[in-house]
Amino acid sequence: MRPDDPRLPTAPGFWRSPLRGTWFTSVLGLVLLAGITVLFVTGLLSYAAYNPDLAPVNDQTPDKGILGFYLFSWPTDPYWLYRVTQGLHVTLGIALIPVLLAKLWSVVPKLFTLPPARSLAHALERISLLLLVGGGLFEFTTGVLNVQLDYLFPGSFYPLHFYGAWVFFAAFLAHAALKTPAALRAVRRRRLDEGELAAPRPDPSTVSRRGALWFVGGASLLLLVTTAGQSIGGALRRTALLAPHGGADPGSGPNGFQINKTAAYAGIDAKETGEEAWQLVVTGRGGRTVRLSRARLLELPQHSAALPIACVEGWSTADQWWRGVRLRDLAALVGYDGDPPDVFVESIQRHGAFRRAALRANQVADPRSLLALQVNGEDLSSDHGYPARVIVPAAPGVLNTKWVARMTFGDL
């Protein structure tokens, strides 16, 4: 067959939809320009929230080099910061899927244009489009799989998504710089002109381009409604049908709120967490070490804080009322009476990422940062980290270590 055979996608006549056109593609492109920019910024904030430069256990993306140029010490105020930024990142990412697919559909004929390269400049443009399309599909796919806790991709999600984001966004910026002026002109004219993307011999129209945009917008709105509740919480959580934590709260009572990993999944043996067996080992200045049973921890000054749990998958709880010993008070027990230092926290969890985590000094010093022993007026359940867990304002959920066994204070 010849490349211009109408039965092949390389032939202009193969593409017959009357919906394709410059105006339709431009509107979708401008929506993605705004949306993907927000996704990229909130994704970088999510990475910064892990304090990746503090300790290797916090960083799942080694050898980032200059890609970590923007990193800063993650704050503890406002206490809901990570809940908002990560909820926005995940919810917006899912809501933009129909827009991304519609945009790719609208320009797919250009991907089959022959010859593949008319000049060096044209070849570079085609390569950038390959990175743009491939990177976009990769980022959205891995993001959705992570939200659903389906780790079907090889390797760790964190480095794959992180490096993929930089490749995709670099191609996205180059494409936006070339195409945004033309897209703005097309939208401002408000004419549904066909342009170079239109089919030369279109089929009869069954829906207008404006109608197609309404359809895409409706699909995005549907995904928004069935996802956002996992971050907003309350009664709206039941509407989050596409989120793994979007259904009814697990169980009832004071411990009846969302979790990611159960004690059974983490390999926690009840014999290890019993009153007779469990002790917290706290180490500090000059190797000074104290061992504290749960009963001894309960004898120390107890403090309370109303804080949510927010996870990288985008789900979060409402504010829960935690009670326990302040981290800075534990630091004082091992020689840090003034400004407390960083702390390295270890769990008795048997397997899984983040069974160890590091917290910065500003997180330790915050009076709301607790080694929690109770929640909502009741002892922690095993799934929520009994006998003790960390809770820190604005920190990602995985840094709020459960089933804590050892805490080492000092510069990390």
Side-chain angles (χ1 to χ4, degrees):
M1 294 184 181
R2 297 182 306 172
D4 58 351
D5 190 309
R7 292 171 294 177
L8 294 179
T10 53
F14 179 86
W15 308 99
R16 304 293 298 274
S17 174
L19 294 179
R20 290 189 177 91
T22 302
W23 181 86
F24 181 74
T25 299
S26 296
V27 172
L28 295 172
L30 292 175
V31 172
L32 288 175
L33 176 63
I36 288 176
T37 300
V38 173
L39 286 182
F40 186 70
V41 171
T42 52
L44 293 184
L45 290 176
S46 178
Y47 180 57
Y50 284 78
N51 285 320
D53 284 343
L54 180 59
V57 296
N58 283 18
D59 193 359
Q60 301 294 319
T61 55
D63 301 322
K64 59 184 177 294
I66 62 171
L67 298 183
F69 70 92
Y70 71 95
L71 292 174
F72 55 95
S73 297
W74 189 251
T76 56
D77 280 308
Y79 72 91
W80 40 258
L81 177 62
Y82 189 74
R83 182 183 185 189
V84 170
T85 58
Q86 191 62 14
L88 176 61
H89 181 76
V90 171
T91 302
L92 179 61
I94 292 176
L96 283 177
I97 289 175
V99 184
L100 175 69
L101 295 178
K103 175 67 161 59
L104 293 178
W105 173 86
S106 73
V107 298
V108 70
K110 297 194 70 175
L111 300 179
F112 292 91
T113 301
L114 293 178
R118 295 189 296 269
S119 64
L120 177 60
H122 185 240
L124 292 175
E125 181 184 358
R126 297 296 294 271
I127 293 173
S128 70
L129 285 177
L130 179 62
L131 294 176
L132 180 68
V133 174
L137 291 175
F138 178 82
E139 286 299 289
F140 277 82
T141 299
T142 54
V144 169
L145 289 174
N146 183 65
V147 169
Q148 298 299 329
L149 307 180
D150 291 328
Y151 302 110
L152 304 178
F153 36 82
S156 171
F157 165 77
Y158 296 94
L160 289 173
H161 204 67
F162 177 80
Y163 292 124
W166 280 103
V167 172
F168 167 60
F169 198 70
F172 178 78
L173 283 180
H175 185 73
L178 292 172
K179 300 297 184 181
T180 298
L184 289 172
R185 288 194 299 270
V187 172
R188 285 170 182 161
R189 284 198 297 266
R190 297 185 180 181
R191 294 199 309 268
L192 307 187
D193 57 316
E194 296 179 344
E196 62 176 355
L197 294 172
R201 295 187 298 277
D203 290 332
S205 178
T206 57
V207 63
S208 69
R209 287 173 181 160
R210 292 188 188 276
L213 284 179
W214 279 109
F215 177 80
V216 173
S220 290
L221 180 61
L222 179 62
L223 290 178
L224 177 69
V225 170
T226 53
T227 303
Q230 69 165 346
S231 301
I232 298 172
L236 288 177
R237 190 175 300 281
R238 298 180 183 275
T239 68
L241 303 177
L242 298 182
H245 300 272
D249 291 350
S252 60
N255 279 273
F257 56 95
Q258 286 68 34
I259 57 173
N260 233 12
K261 294 178 175 63
T262 65
Y265 174 89
I268 304 301
D269 189 336
K271 295 178 181 178
E272 296 176 286
T273 59
E275 292 283 351
E276 299 298 323
W278 182 85
Q279 281 189 325
L280 174 69
V281 180
V282 184
T283 302
R285 192 187 299 275
R288 181 177 176 181
T289 299
V290 297
R291 296 176 181 272
L292 302 166
S293 66
R294 198 170 190 278
R296 179 71 182 96
L297 284 168
L298 286 168
E299 292 174 357
L300 297 175
Q302 302 291 295
H303 298 268
S304 299
L307 299 172
I309 296 175
C311 280
V312 70
E313 294 89 5
W315 68 268
S316 59
T317 72
D319 292 356
Q320 310 297 322
W321 195 255
W322 306 91
R323 188 165 178 81
V325 182
R326 294 185 301 193
L327 298 187
R328 68 185 191 184
D329 291 343
L330 291 172
L333 289 178
V334 289
Y336 293 101
D337 297 317
D339 292 335
D342 309 327
V343 64
F344 183 63
V345 184
E346 299 174 80
S347 171
I348 61 175
Q349 180 178 338
R350 287 289 184 270
H351 54 81
F354 294 102
R355 57 187 180 273
R356 299 174 296 169
L359 298 171
R360 285 193 184 276
N362 68 305
Q363 295 172 312
V364 176
D366 193 294
R368 297 164 296 180
S369 297
L370 303 175
L371 180 71
L373 306 172
Q374 298 176 322
V375 64
N376 299 325
E378 184 176 275
D379 285 346
L380 296 168
S381 68
S382 181
D383 286 341
H384 280 300
Y386 181 89
R389 69 167 299 161
V390 167
I391 186 74
V392 174
V398 292
L399 297 186
N400 294 317
T401 308
K402 298 193 286 189
W403 314 292
V404 176
R406 181 183 291 271
M407 305 181 75
T408 304
F409 291 91
D411 295 332
L412 301 180

